[in-house]
Every structure is written in structure tokens, then in C-alpha cells.
Amino acid sequence: MPGSSLARRGGWAVWFTGLPGCGKSTLAKAVCRALEERGALVVHLEMDARRKNYFPNPTYSLEERNQAYDRFIQDASDLVDQGHGVLMDATAHRLAVRGAARNRIRRFAEVFIRCPLDVAMARERERPEGLVMAGLYEKALDRRRTGREHPGLGQVIGVDVPFEENPGAECVVDGAALTIDQARDHVLRFLENWWE
């Protein structure tokens, strides 16, 4: 069982990445619960929640985004050094950002949730206002179409800038075809094999 294996190991980190609305947070939380039930010392780090701590009034500027990711990676690295398993939950659309985590964290893997843009947009449309502004995609498309600004809306991945997929991602999840339970089990099987 992956949890029992992971519980005996040193620290590690797995980054859940993909388009906004692809299901990163839902999947990361499901995997976290499953690992905790198996006795793993695991922490779920969610960028949307962390950003509010780093920047109480975020502007989502490029400079702020870079600083937030640097702090996010450092938080994960510190937890790994303390022996925790860390589930990193963040879009990180630039491959270089995830590469920086790979270079800094000694035991690291990437879980990419592959999801077509139209599916991610439909899911995001149903998401209520919370840690992230609701209606990101629609507002970004409206801005592109009309030039109208929406306060607090930074660059939206998939509309304003592309997501840079890593062809070497250790685990790829079909976010459109799999149920959350199937996706969770797929990641758990990956973790088991990763440690073998």
C-alpha cells in the first residue's frame, strides 16, 4: 500500500498541475485523505490559499506571481526536509517554475491533469467565488473581446498565456475521462510504483 511505504520514507513532494478548473485541488485533496488514512505524514499545500498569506491583497502581477511561487516552493522544500510528504497544488503554467521545484526538492514528481480547455472552462464556470475569482475564463475572454478590465483579474492561463506541458511528467491523469475516485486511484498506483 502506498501510504504505508510512504510513511516509512523520508520527505518527498508531488506537484499537481494543469489548467485552472481541471480538478487539481479536488484530486490533491482526495489523494491527501487516502494517504492520511494509510498513515502517511502528508501535507496539502494549496497555492490559492498560500497566496492570500503571502499577499493579503494580491494584484496577480507577473512579479508578484514569481515571488509567490518562489515562496511556495520554499515552503514545500522546508516541509520535505522535515520528513513530510507534500502535495503541491498549483497551476504553475511555466515549466521553468516546476523545474525550479524539481531542482530544489530532493524527491520530486509531477502529476499533470490533462484537461481540454472547454472542459476546464465549463467546470470553472460552476465554481463559486472563494479563494479564486469566479468566472476567470469568461472575464478573460470578455477582456480580450472588448478591452474592458476586470479588477483583480491577472493573466488567465489558457486564454492570455499558454500552459507549458512537461512531456516528462511522471504521472499524467486524464482529467476529462476519469472520475475523481478513478483519478485518485491512478495517482496512488503511481506513488506505489514511484517508491518501488
Side-chain angles (χ1 to χ4, degrees), residues 2 4 86 88 119 156 196:
S4 57
V86 182
M88 302 171 72
V119 174
V156 176
E196 290 302 321

Side-chain angles (χ1 to χ4, degrees), residues 47-114:
M47 173 55 108
D48 292 334
R50 291 269 157 173
R51 184 183 282 115
K52 296 289 187 182
N53 291 330
Y54 303 150
F55 303 100
N57 298 299
T59 64
Y60 299 97
S61 68
L62 180 59
E63 180 182 358
E64 182 185 279
R65 178 176 279 166
N66 289 338
Q67 290 176 8
Y69 274 119
D70 190 59
R71 292 172 71 173
F72 185 70
I73 292 167
Q74 188 60 55
D75 286 349
S77 179
D78 290 345
L79 286 164
V80 168
D81 288 345
Q82 294 165 22
H84 293 272
V86 182
L87 304 179
M88 302 171 72
D89 167 6
T91 297
H93 72 286
R94 290 179 53 240
L95 187 53
V97 172
R98 291 161 357 240
R102 187 179 296 277
N103 290 336
R104 199 180 303 181
I105 298 170
R106 62 175 180 250
R107 184 73 169 148
F108 179 89
E110 184 177 326
V111 173
F112 170 55
I113 297 95
R114 179 175 285 128

Side-chain angles (χ1 to χ4, degrees), residues 6-23:
L6 292 171
R8 293 194 301 269
R9 305 282 182 164
W12 51 271
V14 173
W15 194 317
F16 289 74
T17 185
L19 288 171
C22 72

Side-chain angles (χ1 to χ4, degrees), residues 38 46-47 83 90 97 115 194:
R38 290 161 171 78
E46 188 177 7
M47 173 55 108
V97 172
C115 184
W194 189 39

